[in-house]
Amino acid sequence: MYTFQLVFILAGISSIRAGPNSNTCSVYPKDLYIKAGENITITCQSACDGTSKIYWKLNNDRIDDSLSSMLNRTHTVLSLRNFTHPRATLQCYTADTQQVIGGTIIETYSAKPRNISCVHYKLNQEESGGLDSLTCTWEHHMNPPVNYAVESVFYKQKEILQCHSKKTTCTLTELFTLRDDNITVTVKATTHHWNVSSEPRTFALHDISKSLPPKDLEVADSAGSLSVKWRRLSPLEPGRCEVKCRKVLAGGEIVECDHSETGNNTRPYCLLNDEANGSIMINNVDPCTTYGFSVRCVLGKAIWSDWSKEKLHMTKLNKNHVNLRLWRKVSELEENGLRKVHVMWKGIPKDCGGTFDYTIKQTHDSEHMTGGNYTFCGNTTCDVVVNQDAHRINLTVFQNKEVLVVKSVYVPAVGESLPQVTNIQTLSDDKVIKVSWMAPMQPVSGYKIDWTQDGSQYHWKESEYTNVTLSGLQEKKPYNITVTPLFDDKTGQGTKVLHVCSSFGDPDSIAITVVPSYRQAFVSWNTKSLKECSGAVQSYTVNYYKTQDVLYLNVTVDGKMRNVSLKDLSPDTQYTVNVDARALTGISKSSDEKFTTTKFDPGLVTPLSVAGSVIIFLVLFLGLCIAVQWKKFQEKPVPNPALSSVGVWASQSQQKGICFQPFRNPSESHCDTVYPEKAQSTSTPSLVTGYDTNTASEYIVDYANSGMTLGLYTEDESPVEPAKTPPSPGESTALISSDSSTANPYRSQSSGESPVPETEKLSKHVPVKQQEKALLKTIYVTLDMIEQDHKR
């Protein structure tokens, strides 16, 4: 060990003294192969960097600085003791810049090959002696290429044999061995760098001998059992054999045989002495079932042989072991008074050899097996029709036209009072439904449980307990389950539980509706069932965000809620919303729905709309009134002088004469009175030609003496502005004459007599005292007004 260290140190010193390489950076020696557990010394030369302080890393882990020492300013030596890494990378670093100066790879090899084991194969076990083979294996680390040489020494034969290999196994063939001989094996490992030998290992051949598997395996039926026979290849030596039994189930599943079938608590086996053939009986086998058998043997305390090739055999149908099970499903009573009975049975395997026939006979319960109708059926189901009375369904199975087994089942009468189970509970999980119930008060012999998914195909099983597990169901499908108690020779009333799901899927799909407003939105949703067994929703989460910044917000409500109000939103902003439905089985998500909040508050828009409507109505009404008044103003006619005359309009104290209706509306009841006098002038304008002279003279008024002023009116009673200068007494003729000319159309109405005063009254004439006088007023009177008064 110290020799290696001395060599490394001397190599380092010699490299220091070497002139050409004195300024290089390196780690040496390179790519070392050492024996596991040895010590090693590595040198780091850092002359190229000019630094003197360095540190080491082994597989990127820093090594304690106390394990290295400096030989001089440019050389540092690392000493590692008991190095056992199979392969490691060692590197040298500068302490200042932490740069890699150099490195090397170190690999180790095991000290010696160990755990040597050998197996002796007798190629011809039916004869004494003969050629054999010997295969040995061992453990050894072989990272570098290793050549192995296996040396076998046979003591009695005084023969040394060798085999060579590059692996940890080697086989010697064509050996002539003796059964009681011993053998010593040594393994040598050699590389370019080293060689090593294992410790010698000695074996007794009879302890490492391995028999060949048995041959000619045979299986035969024997009165409900199976006989397994085989031929051993080492008949000259005592040994024992072991039989392995496996059973193939209906679905193809392979299981180990039950211990009761072999009569042994572990694997079946039998002891043999010098017999060449072995055999064993397998009892309690199932009819029409495929069994597989294989055998292995061992000589004394040697090594077990390999298993023989498996032999498959299908058992025959044994009449004594047929377990026929029968059940029925009864429909509701139809209008014709008949019921349909769906009969089902189990216990006759489909793959059994031979020909099977099935016959059903239905009889009244009181008739038992006598009478009745026969129906020929298929392999597993049959439909018959019965009336409302109690019946028995009898199934007879024929094998090769011989009666194999007979079984019957009871069909209750309609309305028959029978015990039944109560309080059925179900629990579903991953295509499995667990059913439990409460037994009736009467003692029962068992229960029949049937279930269906589509109502046409039924499955059923029996149980002695008040619970059962239904497996192999379709995923996410509802099932109708019926539990019926069984009594000695009758059945009870079936109790149904409907729509029990085998498993549950994600929640239903979701459709959402959004009604936005000023700073909030009302979100509602409906769920639509797309699957028959959707998971029950535990909660809903409403997710929403502004479309432009994708800042997610959410609101979670109970699974019973179907709407929510989103508040504190930004006005006139687009949002995106969706709803997540969460159940124990998963999550369903609705599609995204976009909406935009309103720009103004609808609470302010309504009052403004009402106020605007009122203002518009007032403006229209005012405009309508103005238009009506303007139209009236436009309709006032211009006075026609040709039809006008001058008259005196009396004051309220001097009312006598004719009552004139108001100018604008002749139908009104209020009247103004004009008091005319007899005309002093007989001259009448030509424009009044046609009027009665007497009539005209009657209405001539002395405006000078009566205190009245003159005015003009047209035919439609529109006034003409009078003269501004008030007349004085005696100026009547002068006033007229001043304005009278050839073109003056007005007629004078004056009289020298004083008018008779009259008291004003609505719609009638009241005379007054003649002595009363009143102030003069200017009036305009048209002749048609006088005519209208005459007509009244």
Side-chain angles (χ1 to χ4, degrees):
M1 182 179 296
Y2 295 104
T3 304
F4 281 107
Q5 295 180 359
L6 180 62
V7 171
F8 290 143
I9 293 173
L10 293 176
I13 295 174
S14 62
S15 64
I16 294 172
R17 294 178 178 176
N21 298 327
S22 59
N23 294 326
T24 61
C25 289
S26 179
V27 173
Y28 51 85
K30 297 287 187 180
D31 301 330
L32 294 176
Y33 292 95
I34 63 173
K35 188 177 181 179
E38 286 188 341
N39 300 336
I40 186 173
T41 301
I42 307 296
T43 301
C44 175
Q45 179 181 346
S46 58
C48 65
D49 188 75
T51 183
S52 59
K53 192 172 183 180
I54 60 97
Y55 65 91
W56 299 85
K57 279 188 177 183
L58 182 66
N59 290 337
N60 291 325
D61 293 330
R62 183 163 179 168
I63 299 176
D64 189 354
D65 293 340
S66 62
L67 299 179
S68 64
S69 60
M70 294 183 60
L71 295 179
N72 56 34
R73 187 174 178 276
T74 59
H75 289 74
T76 303
V77 177
L78 175 67
S79 298
L80 299 176
R81 295 181 176 275
N82 191 25
F83 194 86
T84 58
H85 291 274
R87 180 182 174 89
T89 300
L90 181 66
Q91 292 176 305
C92 175
Y93 291 80
T94 61
D96 297 335
T97 62
Q98 298 181 353
Q99 297 295 320
V100 177
I101 297 175
T104 185
I105 295 176
I106 306 172
E107 292 183 279
T108 63
Y109 60 90
S110 299
K112 298 178 181 179
R114 60 184 184 274
N115 294 337
I116 302 173
S117 63
C118 296
V119 177
H120 174 229
Y121 292 94
K122 194 168 183 62
L123 302 181
N124 188 358
Q125 298 183 8
E126 297 180 296
E127 298 179 2
S128 178
L131 298 178
D132 300 336
S133 66
L134 181 69
T135 300
C136 296
T137 58
W138 58 91
E139 295 178 2
H140 191 237
H141 177 68
M142 344 176 272
N143 198 26
V146 179
N147 294 318
Y148 295 99
V150 180
E151 183 178 85
S152 303
V153 179
F154 294 89
Y155 291 95
K156 288 187 176 183
Q157 298 172 229
K158 298 181 181 180
E159 184 178 8
I160 300 176
L161 299 176
Q162 287 187 346
C163 69
H164 300 274
S165 174
K166 294 183 179 296
K167 300 179 181 180
T168 57
T169 182
C170 192
T171 300
L172 292 170
T173 59
E174 298 184 357
L175 300 178
F176 186 83
T177 61
L178 299 176
R179 177 74 176 83
D180 55 350
D181 202 353
N182 293 334
I183 183 174
T184 299
V185 178
T186 303
V187 179
K188 295 181 180 180
T190 304
T191 68
H192 295 293
H193 304 281
W194 48 263
N195 61 77
V196 65
S197 298
S198 69
E199 297 293 335
R201 180 76 184 274
T202 302
F203 303 96
L205 287 181
H206 60 79
D207 291 336
I208 63 173
S209 296
K210 183 176 182 179
S211 302
L212 294 179
K215 290 185 177 182
D216 303 330
L217 192 63
E218 296 180 357
V219 181
D221 287 272
S222 177
S225 301
L226 289 177
S227 172
V228 182
K229 297 180 180 181
W230 63 92
R231 183 167 62 89
R232 188 163 59 94
L233 296 181
S234 301
L236 302 181
E237 299 179 20
R240 65 186 187 277
C241 296
E242 189 177 62
V243 178
K244 180 170 64 175
C245 173
R246 301 195 304 167
K247 180 168 57 176
V248 181
L249 301 182
E253 182 182 1
I254 300 176
V255 297
E256 295 289 335
C257 296
D258 191 5
H259 294 165
S260 61
E261 296 174 336
T262 60
N264 193 288
N265 291 331
T266 56
R267 287 195 178 112
Y269 68 93
C270 64
L271 296 176
L272 301 176
N273 293 322
D274 296 334
E275 299 178 1
N277 297 327
S279 65
I280 193 173
M281 295 296 296
I282 309 296
N283 301 318
N284 302 322
V285 295
D286 294 334
C288 302
T289 303
T290 299
Y291 286 85
F293 298 95
S294 56
V295 183
R296 68 177 183 175
C297 297
V298 64
L299 301 177
K301 297 181 180 180
I303 302 172
W304 281 96
S305 70
D306 296 328
W307 288 103
S308 65
K309 185 178 179 180
E310 187 175 39
K311 179 72 173 181
L312 299 178
H313 179 80
M314 178 180 287
T315 58
K316 295 181 179 179
L317 183 60
N318 188 348
K319 182 177 181 179
N320 298 327
H321 293 86
V322 173
N323 183 19
L324 183 64
R325 299 179 295 277
L326 183 64
W327 189 233
R328 82 292 182 277
K329 285 296 293 182
V330 185
S331 67
E332 298 293 333
L333 185 67
E334 299 178 359
E335 295 180 357
N336 57 6
L338 299 178
R339 296 177 293 169
K340 180 180 177 181
V341 181
H342 184 68
V343 186
M344 305 168 284
W345 60 88
K346 298 178 181 179
I348 308 297
K350 297 180 180 179
D351 298 330
C352 267
T355 303
F356 294 91
D357 298 311
Y358 305 89
T359 301
I360 284 183
K361 178 183 178 182
Q362 64 264 30
T363 62
H364 283 80
D365 184 49
S366 59
E367 299 176 356
H368 296 287
M369 293 297 293
T370 63
N373 300 320
Y374 287 91
T375 302
F376 294 95
C377 303
N379 292 329
T380 57
T381 62
C382 193
D383 293 330
V384 296
V385 176
V386 299
N387 58 22
Q388 59 186 357
D389 299 330
H391 283 75
R392 282 199 172 273
I393 304 298
N394 305 284
L395 173 65
T396 303
V397 182
F398 297 88
Q399 182 182 24
N400 300 326
K401 298 183 179 181
E402 293 182 1
V403 176
L404 181 65
V405 64
V406 177
K407 196 81 171 180
S408 67
V409 65
Y410 178 72
V411 177
V414 175
E416 184 176 356
S417 178
L418 297 171
Q420 63 183 43
V421 302
T422 57
N423 194 25
I424 296 182
Q425 302 290 331
T426 61
L427 179 62
S428 303
D429 182 26
D430 193 19
K431 298 188 293 184
V432 172
I433 300 178
K434 296 181 179 180
V435 187
S436 61
W437 58 88
M438 185 177 294
M441 298 297 294
Q442 297 81 351
V444 299
S445 59
Y447 301 91
K448 288 285 180 66
I449 304 94
D450 61 76
W451 63 95
T452 179
Q453 189 269 320
D454 53 9
S456 59
Q457 183 177 6
Y458 286 87
H459 305 271
W460 58 281
K461 67 189 309 183
E462 300 177 13
S463 176
E464 297 179 357
Y465 308 100
T466 56
N467 59 79
V468 72
T469 299
L470 310 181
S471 58
L473 307 177
Q474 297 185 43
E475 186 178 13
K476 302 173 187 176
K477 294 294 182 182
Y479 284 84
N480 298 335
I481 303 172
T482 304
V483 180
T484 306
L486 304 178
F487 301 96
D488 293 335
D489 60 345
K490 290 188 176 182
T491 63
Q493 189 71 34
T495 303
K496 295 182 180 179
V497 56
L498 305 178
H499 302 293
V500 181
C501 290
S502 59
S503 60
F504 294 91
D506 295 339
D508 299 333
S509 64
I510 307 170
I512 63 175
T513 303
V514 183
V515 180
S517 57
Y518 176 55
R519 291 180 62 85
Q520 61 183 5
F522 184 77
V523 182
S524 60
W525 57 88
N526 291 317
T527 57
K528 182 179 180 182
S529 180
L530 298 179
K531 302 173 183 176
E532 296 175 296
C533 293
S534 299
V537 178
Q538 303 294 318
S539 64
Y540 292 98
T541 299
V542 181
N543 308 292
Y544 61 99
Y545 59 90
K546 294 181 180 179
T547 305
Q548 59 269 25
D549 56 13
V550 197
L551 177 61
Y552 281 88
L553 301 171
N554 61 73
V555 177
T556 300
V557 296
D558 187 74
K560 298 179 180 179
M561 298 288 290
R562 291 295 184 273
N563 57 72
V564 70
S565 292
L566 307 180
K567 299 182 179 180
D568 299 328
L569 305 180
S570 302
D572 194 22
T573 304
Q574 187 182 63
Y575 285 84
T576 301
V577 63
N578 58 65
V579 178
D580 295 341
R582 298 178 180 271
L584 297 177
T585 55
I587 301 176
S588 290
K589 185 175 182 179
S590 71
S591 59
D592 290 344
E593 185 76 17
K594 296 183 184 297
F595 68 92
T596 302
T597 54
T598 58
K599 192 172 184 179
F600 302 102
D601 188 357
L604 183 62
V605 172
T606 301
L608 290 177
S609 300
V610 174
S613 301
V614 173
I615 292 174
I616 292 173
F617 175 77
L618 293 176
V619 170
L620 292 177
F621 180 76
L622 182 61
L624 180 61
C625 293
I626 294 174
V628 171
Q629 295 300 323
W630 176 253
K631 183 177 181 182
K632 288 182 179 182
F633 177 76
Q634 291 287 76
E635 290 177 352
K636 291 181 179 180
V638 178
N640 186 357
L643 301 177
S644 302
S645 62
V646 177
V648 179
W649 193 270
S651 63
Q652 293 182 358
S653 60
Q654 298 175 337
Q655 296 180 7
K656 178 184 179 182
I658 306 168
C659 177
F660 293 93
Q661 298 292 338
F663 299 137
R664 292 305 303 157
N665 191 356
S667 64
E668 293 181 3
S669 62
H670 297 281
C671 298
D672 293 327
T673 308
V674 178
Y675 301 92
E677 296 180 348
K678 294 194 183 277
Q680 296 179 355
S681 176
T682 58
S683 62
T684 302
S686 59
L687 290 176
V688 294
T689 304
Y691 279 92
D692 186 4
T693 305
N694 295 330
T695 304
S697 64
E698 279 181 355
Y699 292 91
I700 297 174
V701 181
D702 185 356
Y703 64 88
N705 298 325
S706 61
M708 295 184 179
T709 55
L710 299 177
L712 294 176
Y713 281 104
T714 62
E715 293 178 346
D716 56 359
E717 304 172 2
S718 299
V720 177
E721 188 68 29
K724 301 296 181 179
T725 304
S728 59
E731 293 180 348
S732 171
T733 305
L735 178 61
I736 298 301
S737 63
S738 65
D739 293 334
S740 64
S741 63
T742 310
N744 189 353
Y746 294 98
R747 294 174 289 178
S748 175
Q749 298 180 8
S750 62
S751 174
E753 300 178 3
S754 299
V756 181
E758 294 181 4
T759 302
E760 180 181 359
K761 196 171 183 179
L762 294 177
S763 302
K764 61 180 180 177
H765 308 280
V766 180
V768 295
K769 296 180 180 180
Q770 295 181 1
Q771 290 83 8
E772 292 180 2
K773 289 188 178 181
L775 296 177
L776 293 177
K777 294 182 181 180
T778 303
I779 62 172
Y780 301 91
V781 181
T782 59
L783 295 180
D784 52 350
M785 293 173 59
I786 300 173
E787 293 174 355
Q788 292 175 2
D789 187 68
H790 272 290
K791 292 178 181 179
R792 295 190 185 99

